[in-house]
Amino acid sequence: MTPVELSRTVLRAVRRAVDEGELSVAVPARAVVTLPGPGGCGDYATNIALQLARPAGRGPLEVAEILRPHLSGAAGVADVAITGPGFLNISLGAGAPAALAHHVLTQGARYGHGDALAGQVVELRVPYDARAEVVADTLVRIVATQGGRAEVRHAEPVNLRPVPAPEDPAPLGPAAARWALLHPAPHDRPRITADHLVQRESNPLFRVRYAHARTRALSRNAAALGYVSDPSHVSHESQELESQEHDLLGALGDYPHALRVAASHRTPDRLARHLVVTADALLAFQHAVLPLGDEKPSAAHRARLALAEAAGTVLAGGLSLLGISAPDYL
């Protein structure tokens, strides 16, 4: 089950509770599904009970208890736990990793696109400033992923004014210059330094582009060994590998949410930071993709390759939205 499908499952649970007279609320247009926060558990969490508590005239925990059995019985859901003030923490069935990897690979560059801004025109009024113009140019593409249309103009009053760069970023080159302007939060002053050009782990841009190049190399090396990716349930050989796969699945699953937030709040830095999280998860997981020594390729290797290729799809798509290339070799 993908995050989009899980969001629909949550809404169906709300609708069933309303139809059965357990809740008296208007069913919302969408349910936000994210990775569990501190103190959470499972694969995903939703704050739908907190969202509905006030209109329902009930406490969040009471709403969560009403929704829990409707969610627990849904296909693909293995368990539902309630944590904190009323978060529903959802554990998916064994086929979830395969379903997510298959969905990402099938959707390709359109993975994460949605309709949160469908039919909306987002007016971006910016000053004559390099950073503001790069941010606006990027938001045109990000807003489009959510069904909206962004229009950029130089007009008062300005409604998009990130802190300007202290100097011209052009000497860094196109990729590093855009990253230097887009990666910091709008209220942070960007660093225009050669650090963005160094090829080492301390450079987030390098890690993101290197992680993408690694996914392409893994596919080439697997082909040389005579196998291709095939999403299926992975039998974990260690708790460490299970944790690494979980982190990567979480990053892939949270990508649609990152895109939606970046579009809705006009914050391309949210997308840039999420790409760093995805890259770090892939780089931690990559060692398990190819057979070692005399080991023969197995179903597990094919499934892990599919997960790595899904990560490459997300990294390439996200970089493209930022206006940055994703090289196959680095």
Side-chain angles (χ1 to χ4, degrees):
M1 184 182 299
T2 69
V4 172
E5 292 169 340
L6 184 56
S7 176
R8 293 173 184 149
T9 298
V10 171
L11 291 179
R12 284 195 293 269
V14 174
R15 191 170 292 109
R16 283 196 294 270
V18 170
D19 290 344
E20 294 178 17
E22 298 172 292
L23 286 177
S24 180
V25 294
V27 179
R30 90 173 181 272
V32 176
V33 174
T34 64
L35 298 179
C41 59
D43 298 300
Y44 295 100
T46 177
N47 66 348
I48 191 69
L50 285 77
Q51 178 183 340
L52 297 178
R54 178 173 293 181
R58 299 169 180 259
L61 286 173
E62 186 180 0
V63 175
E65 288 290 357
I66 291 172
L67 295 177
R68 181 180 178 180
H70 294 290
L71 265 177
S72 298
V77 174
D79 187 42
V80 179
I82 300 172
T83 61
F87 291 102
L88 288 159
N89 293 251
I90 304 166
S91 297
L92 301 180
L100 178 56
H102 181 267
H103 181 66
V104 174
L105 294 172
T106 301
Q107 291 289 305
R110 289 194 56 80
Y111 172 63
H113 291 210
D115 57 3
L117 300 179
Q120 296 186 32
V121 177
V122 178
E123 186 178 5
L124 302 175
R125 300 188 299 274
V126 302
Y128 287 95
D129 169 74
R131 188 184 185 195
E133 290 174 352
V134 168
V135 169
D137 170 72
T138 303
L139 284 172
V140 169
R141 289 186 292 275
I142 294 177
V143 167
T145 71
Q146 302 305 304
R149 187 176 84 253
E151 296 182 349
V152 183
R153 62 186 63 183
H154 294 284
E156 296 288 346
V158 168
N159 64 1
L160 185 68
R161 192 194 295 272
V163 174
E167 57 188 282
D168 182 8
L172 295 177
R178 292 188 72 91
W179 183 266
L181 299 177
L182 294 170
H183 182 251
H187 57 270
D188 290 335
R189 185 175 295 278
R191 295 181 302 103
I192 309 302
T193 65
D195 293 349
H196 296 294
L197 299 174
V198 297
Q199 296 196 18
R200 60 176 66 131
E201 290 184 4
S202 60
N203 178 3
L205 173 58
F206 170 73
R207 294 207 306 277
V208 172
R209 300 178 91 198
Y210 176 68
H212 174 265
R214 284 298 304 148
T215 66
R216 304 304 301 138
L218 291 170
S219 296
R220 292 192 300 268
N221 292 337
L225 293 173
Y227 74 98
V228 295
S229 63
D230 178 20
S232 62
H233 176 57
V234 176
S235 177
H236 302 293
E237 298 167 2
S238 68
Q239 186 174 358
E240 180 185 11
L241 177 57
E242 182 176 3
S243 175
Q244 291 166 346
E245 184 192 90
H246 184 272
D247 290 345
L248 184 53
L249 284 166
L252 299 181
D254 207 32
Y255 179 69
H257 177 67
L259 272 186
R260 189 163 56 246
V261 170
S264 301
H265 297 281
R266 306 176 187 177
T267 51
D269 59 290
R270 177 67 175 80
L271 171 58
R273 291 198 303 274
H274 188 75
L275 294 182
V276 176
V277 171
T278 304
D280 289 344
L282 181 280
L283 293 173
F285 176 76
Q286 62 167 332
H287 70 279
V289 173
L290 299 175
L292 299 177
D294 295 331
E295 188 180 10
K296 300 296 183 183
S298 65
H301 291 113
R302 289 189 286 273
R304 294 171 198 157
L305 179 60
L307 190 54
E309 290 177 344
T313 297
V314 165
L315 293 170
L319 284 171
S320 177
L321 291 172
L322 297 178
I324 299 172
S325 63
D328 288 351
Y329 298 86
L330 195 63

